[in-house]
Amino acid sequence: MSLLKKLEISKKLAENVKAEKEKGLLVNISRDPYSDIKIKLHKKIIDELKDLKSPEKEDKDFIRKHIQQLVNSYIESDASHIPRLDRMKISDEVFDEVVGYGPITPLLNDPEISEIMVNGPNQVYIERNGRLELCNVFFRDNDHVMNIIDRIVSPIGRRIDESMPMVDARLPDGSRVNAIIPPLSLTGPVITIRKFAADPLMIEDLIEFGTLTPEMAQFIEACVKAKLNIVVSGGTGSGKTTTLNVLSSFIPHSERIVTIEDAAELQLRQPHIVTLESRPPNIEGTGAINIRDLVRNALRMRPDRIIVGEVRSGEALDMLQAMNTGHDGSLTTGHANSPRDMLSRLETMVLMAGMDLPIRAIREQISSAIDLIIHQSRLRDGSRRITYITEVQGMEGDVIVLQDLFNFSQTGVDQDGTVSGEFKPSGIRPKFIERLEISGYRLPTEVFTKNLY
């Protein structure tokens, strides 16, 4: 969104705030002793900035200095009692209101915060180091929150209103955003932002965080490079997308990659990438392009790898067919509580495609398509661990046979709530070990036996 558009939205918000304050409708305004000053400043600054030239309107540094000058000038003439530190704070908050995302802008800029949860205008939670904290951030009212949602979704062609009260979106840095508004939300407009690191995490970072061991990392790297089909499973917030990003970093730079997502958030570093993003219906309820349509289209784009951000419904069938028709090395994620549950979910999602297939046929598709399931969990202390690396070995009768190759065994919880445990290999070499060796990846025996006893 251009800065000019942001200024127009900010002016509209300032006018609404002023009108509601005059009617006595703003109940949150008493939380901030300088709220009256900010409202007046906001409107005054918007009027001042309208007269700037176009290049100046797009220069954030220029805008910040201009706002500081206007704030100091106004305070000197009408509110000289305000201390210097408070003046600087007012200036920063007005700047965030004009060109940023309002009260949550400092939270978005804090690298230690991984998630922001706005539960209506009066309650904002954050996740820091895996733990939830209530923070002292407030919005003026529901319209203030709605304005911030509009700033987020408008630049990427999404919309949110009573006819479509839910939306998935992303910030310019790739952070994932979900918003839901009344009448579906009874607490007011709700925003959930899952932030991603400015620099994508690498496998060394996951080893340092204790997400997996060097031996597991060595094994996973060989599997990706040997073009095995891999599903990353786990619960909400378990780190599936981060792990998928790390897996994708092992893909050779010589390959053509097609990524498919609802809201583009994967951070791939290869040079040859085509990013596809689904499209919601327009205001007439037509024109929607879903993940399934994009998966089918990707098959005609000469991909070496297809990466689906997450399978949720009928696209699972198209993904499995792609894996079974020569598109080896495909990667995807899915919500599940365990590797076995991931297979059950895939069966259900294939049935959601509307195809009247027998369960055995679906299971045969799954067992022949998927080679490996990497299951990730978010533990009680907020840490993320790859708790299972499981091979899909094939069918025995009507049952898909799974074999755990590595797992995380929890041994207890320390006094400070930290989960203790250790990673253990099963000691069993996977059936696809020959595929790895044919591809040139000979893993030492200790990868599958270290810390076994």
Side-chain angles (χ1 to χ4, degrees):
M1 184 188 295
S2 67
L3 195 51
L4 180 60
K5 178 67 174 175
K6 290 181 179 179
L7 295 178
E8 292 174 356
I9 294 175
S10 294
K11 182 181 179 184
K12 182 178 179 182
L13 175 64
E15 291 172 350
N16 290 342
V17 168
K18 182 180 179 184
E20 293 188 0
K21 185 172 185 347
E22 290 172 353
K23 296 176 184 178
L25 297 178
L26 292 183
V27 297
N28 231 3
I29 214 73
S30 60
R31 295 183 184 276
D32 187 350
Y34 302 127
S35 58
D36 288 339
I37 294 174
K38 290 178 187 174
I39 293 171
K40 292 177 182 177
L41 273 171
H42 193 181
K43 189 174 185 306
K44 182 179 178 66
I45 288 169
I46 297 301
D47 291 336
E48 290 270 353
L49 295 179
K50 282 195 306 181
D51 298 329
L52 294 177
K53 299 176 183 178
S54 294
E56 294 173 336
K57 287 179 179 178
E58 300 300 326
D59 187 343
K60 288 191 177 182
D61 290 334
F62 178 85
I63 296 294
R64 183 181 288 278
K65 291 178 182 177
H66 196 65
I67 288 175
Q68 288 174 346
Q69 293 172 357
L70 291 174
V71 168
N72 290 332
S73 174
Y74 176 84
I75 290 177
E76 285 295 336
S77 60
D78 293 356
S80 58
H81 63 282
I82 296 179
R84 180 174 175 276
L85 288 177
D86 286 348
R87 295 185 191 190
M88 295 174 62
K89 184 178 179 183
I90 291 172
S91 174
D92 289 341
E93 290 179 0
V94 172
F95 176 80
D96 291 340
E97 201 63 57
V98 172
V99 300
Y101 297 105
I104 61 173
T105 303
L107 306 180
L108 290 169
N109 294 334
D110 188 340
E112 293 186 355
I113 295 174
S114 57
E115 201 145 2
I116 302 168
M117 291 145 278
V118 178
N119 303 330
N122 303 319
Q123 189 182 73
V124 177
Y125 278 89
I126 60 171
E127 182 187 83
R128 196 195 310 268
N129 299 324
R131 299 180 186 274
L132 293 180
E133 303 174 15
L134 178 64
C135 63
N136 189 30
V137 172
F138 304 98
F139 290 81
R140 284 188 284 268
D141 59 359
N142 284 344
D143 285 341
H144 192 187
V145 185
M146 287 295 299
N147 173 261
I148 302 304
I149 295 174
D150 188 56
R151 287 193 197 181
I152 293 171
V153 304
S154 295
I156 61 172
R158 304 289 171 104
R159 65 184 181 90
I160 187 166
D161 50 40
E162 287 190 2
S163 64
M164 186 175 287
M166 298 183 294
V167 67
D168 287 316
R170 54 182 164 79
L171 296 179
D173 65 356
S175 297
R176 180 193 307 169
V177 181
N178 174 268
I180 183 167
I181 65 173
L184 299 187
S185 169
L186 304 184
T187 58
V190 175
I191 311 173
T192 308
I193 302 175
R194 182 165 299 162
K195 293 170 56 182
F196 292 100
D199 294 322
L201 296 177
M202 302 301 290
I203 193 69
E204 295 81 9
D205 298 310
L206 297 191
I207 294 171
E208 183 180 346
F209 297 154
T211 304
L212 74 171
T213 64
E215 291 75 28
M216 294 164 67
Q218 187 178 1
F219 173 70
I220 291 173
E221 180 178 0
C223 291
V224 174
K225 290 182 175 179
K227 303 193 75 170
L228 270 62
N229 294 322
I230 301 174
V231 175
V232 181
S233 65
T236 300
S238 60
K240 298 186 299 297
T241 303
T242 298
T243 299
L244 186 61
N245 269 322
V246 171
L247 294 182
S248 67
S249 68
F250 298 134
I251 298 175
H253 285 225
S254 59
E255 296 187 9
R256 175 177 169 88
I257 305 169
V258 178
T259 69
I260 302 168
E261 301 171 85
D262 272 329
E265 55 187 327
L266 291 173
Q267 300 169 297
L268 275 65
R269 295 185 173 183
Q270 287 81 354
H272 198 167
I273 300 172
V274 178
T275 302
L276 307 181
E277 188 176 67
S278 64
R279 185 178 72 184
N282 58 25
I283 197 167
E284 287 86 18
T286 60
I289 304 295
N290 57 36
I291 295 289
R292 190 173 185 190
D293 298 326
L294 295 178
V295 171
R296 285 198 296 265
N297 188 78
L299 301 179
R300 307 183 185 100
M301 297 175 67
R302 198 258 176 228
D304 289 309
R305 306 266 186 162
I306 298 176
I307 301 178
V308 179
E310 183 179 336
V311 287
R312 295 188 181 92
S313 56
E315 64 268 11
L317 175 60
D318 300 283
M319 186 71 193
L320 292 173
Q321 288 181 327
M323 291 176 173
N324 274 321
T325 53
H327 295 88
D328 293 332
S330 298
L331 307 172
T332 189
T333 73
H335 282 84
N337 294 324
S338 68
R340 176 65 66 181
D341 286 347
M342 187 68 244
L343 298 183
S344 299
R345 283 215 64 219
L346 283 171
E347 291 178 22
T348 303
M349 288 187 282
V350 169
L351 293 173
M352 291 170 68
M355 306 293 288
D356 188 18
L357 297 172
I359 291 296
R360 180 176 176 83
I362 297 173
R363 289 178 180 174
E364 287 177 346
Q365 281 260 21
I366 293 172
S367 65
S368 62
I370 298 172
D371 299 303
L372 197 68
I373 299 174
I374 299 174
H375 185 77
Q376 189 150 337
S377 300
R378 184 177 183 272
L379 305 183
R380 289 178 54 187
D381 60 356
S383 61
R384 277 83 170 175
R385 299 281 191 276
I386 291 179
T387 49
Y388 294 96
I389 297 180
T390 302
E391 179 190 10
V392 181
Q393 292 189 330
M395 296 280 292
E396 279 191 9
D398 291 334
V399 179
I400 300 175
V401 178
L402 299 181
Q403 176 60 58
D404 293 338
L405 303 176
F406 300 89
N407 75 290
F408 176 77
S409 176
Q410 182 175 332
T411 56
V413 179
D414 298 340
Q415 291 183 349
D416 60 355
T418 302
V419 172
S420 58
E422 60 180 336
F423 294 97
K424 283 190 174 183
S426 64
I428 298 173
R429 294 164 67 87
K431 284 189 174 181
F432 54 70
I433 194 69
E434 288 186 6
R435 286 181 58 185
L436 300 184
E437 293 176 349
I438 291 172
S439 301
Y441 303 101
R442 294 184 178 275
L443 298 174
T445 304
E446 54 265 25
V447 168
F448 304 102
T449 58
K450 189 173 181 180
N451 298 327
L452 181 59
Y453 302 107

